[in-house]
Amino acid sequence: MKTRPTTQYVPHTLDGKTRMIPVEVDTSTPPRDWDHLVLNGVTGIAALVLTASVVWSTASIGDLLARVVIKPAAYGGAVVFDLVWIACMAIEWLSRYDAERAALPRRAGHAALGVAMAAVAAHGYIADQLVIGVVGAVVSGLAKGLWTVVLAHQTPALDPRTREFLRQELAEAGATMAVIPARRRVQRMQHLAAAERKALADSGSANPDRPDEDTDEPDDNVLPINPGALTTKDAVRIAWDSGLQDRDAVARYVGKATGKMPSPETVDRYLRALRVGA
């Protein structure tokens, strides 16, 4: 069995105080995992094949499109043919635990691959090299097939109950994530509605049938009186006793207390009488 030196921290006590001290020890090394090495090698080969396929099809389709557009645009559009089915294959891998969700990207990837292969074959046909065009199209098919085999090998086989369990777990987590933006929208709408109500209330237009209230409020020391319950003289006396001595302020209070605005002369007469009595 092979060993290798490693550093471990062990407790060491001196004078009643314990410290962790580094110590060099020999530990056994696990045997080489040849399966993992082979899988890494196959994955590297698949990546190399995919790169060669993208370069070939981009050059072929780009030359085909360059007959009608400038080369930068032609080759920029040509690379899309391969990127689409590669992206679909990646989404299929991400959905490997849910067969229903993986079905759509799988079908889309096959369709995109077919379009790319047809474009490569069409380039060979236009260039009077149909055989080369067909062989070039097969390159993309081989790259797609190799990656399909690699990904299928790395996808764990799950029994139906486990697949259903994972599906429900993902659905529950997805529902939790979906509620967050929905709640955010609800809160935003509630804040907007509250701001609208406050703006309407501040502007006095929340109830257009309601007349505007008098901005001149009576003194806080004056007790509220029900309109029509007092005479003008009594209302003037209450205002006087509450500290209101200005004629206009007393008149406004009398109007609120009696429900009818008194004449300035009447208010002056009562005020003079109160001043004399004081």
Side-chain angles (χ1 to χ4, degrees), residues 163-193:
R163 285 198 301 268
E164 179 61 22
F165 177 84
L166 294 178
R167 188 192 66 79
Q168 294 184 15
E169 286 287 305
L170 292 173
E172 183 177 352
T176 302
M177 294 298 297
V179 168
I180 295 176
R183 288 178 176 172
R184 188 183 298 116
R185 291 184 60 186
V186 170
Q187 292 178 355
R188 186 184 300 113
M189 295 173 67
Q190 289 175 345
H191 291 324
L192 290 176

Side-chain angles (χ1 to χ4, degrees), residues 72-102:
Y75 287 95
V79 74
V80 173
F81 284 81
D82 278 340
L83 291 181
V84 171
W85 65 262
I86 292 173
C88 291
M89 186 171 59
I91 297 175
E92 179 185 352
W93 164 254
L94 295 176
S95 304
R96 61 189 180 278
Y97 299 121
D98 192 339
E100 294 181 0
R101 297 187 63 184

Side-chain angles (χ1 to χ4, degrees), residues 27-235:
T27 58
S28 60
T29 58
R32 189 180 298 275
D33 189 352
W34 289 104
D35 291 343
H36 186 68
L37 292 176
V38 171
L39 181 60
N40 288 340
V42 172
T43 304
I45 293 174
L48 182 62
V49 171
L50 180 64
T51 302
S53 171
V54 172
V55 172
W56 176 274
S57 61
T58 300
S60 178
I61 301 174
D63 184 66
L64 175 65
L65 298 178
R67 299 171 183 268
V68 292
V69 296
I70 59 176
K71 288 187 177 181
Y75 287 95
V79 74
V80 173
F81 284 81
D82 278 340
L83 291 181
V84 171
W85 65 262
I86 292 173
C88 291
M89 186 171 59
I91 297 175
E92 179 185 352
W93 164 254
L94 295 176
S95 304
R96 61 189 180 278
Y97 299 121
D98 192 339
E100 294 181 0
R101 297 187 63 184
L104 178 59
R106 183 183 303 110
R107 291 194 297 267
H110 290 160
L113 175 64
V115 173
M117 294 176 65
V120 174
H123 174 256
Y125 176 78
I126 295 296
D128 292 331
Q129 299 291 336
L130 180 59
V131 176
I132 296 178
V134 172
V135 173
V138 173
V139 173
S140 297
L142 292 175
K144 165 69 172 175
L146 179 58
W147 267 106
T148 300
V149 172
V150 172
L151 297 181
H153 175 76
Q154 298 190 29
T155 301
L158 303 177
D159 60 274
R161 291 188 176 184
T162 302
R163 285 198 301 268
E164 179 61 22
F165 177 84
L166 294 178
R167 188 192 66 79
Q168 294 184 15
E169 286 287 305
L170 292 173
E172 183 177 352
T176 302
M177 294 298 297
V179 168
I180 295 176
R183 288 178 176 172
R184 188 183 298 116
R185 291 184 60 186
V186 170
Q187 292 178 355
R188 186 184 300 113
M189 295 173 67
Q190 289 175 345
H191 291 324
L192 290 176
E196 289 287 345
R197 287 194 296 268
K198 186 177 184 302
L200 292 175
D202 293 341
S203 63
S205 59
N207 189 355
D209 296 333
R210 180 180 179 181
D212 294 337
E213 296 182 356
D214 191 356
T215 57
D216 297 326
E217 297 293 336
D219 191 270
D220 294 335
N221 295 325
V222 180
L223 297 176
I225 303 297
N226 293 330
L230 296 177
T231 63
T232 301
K233 182 178 180 179
D234 294 334

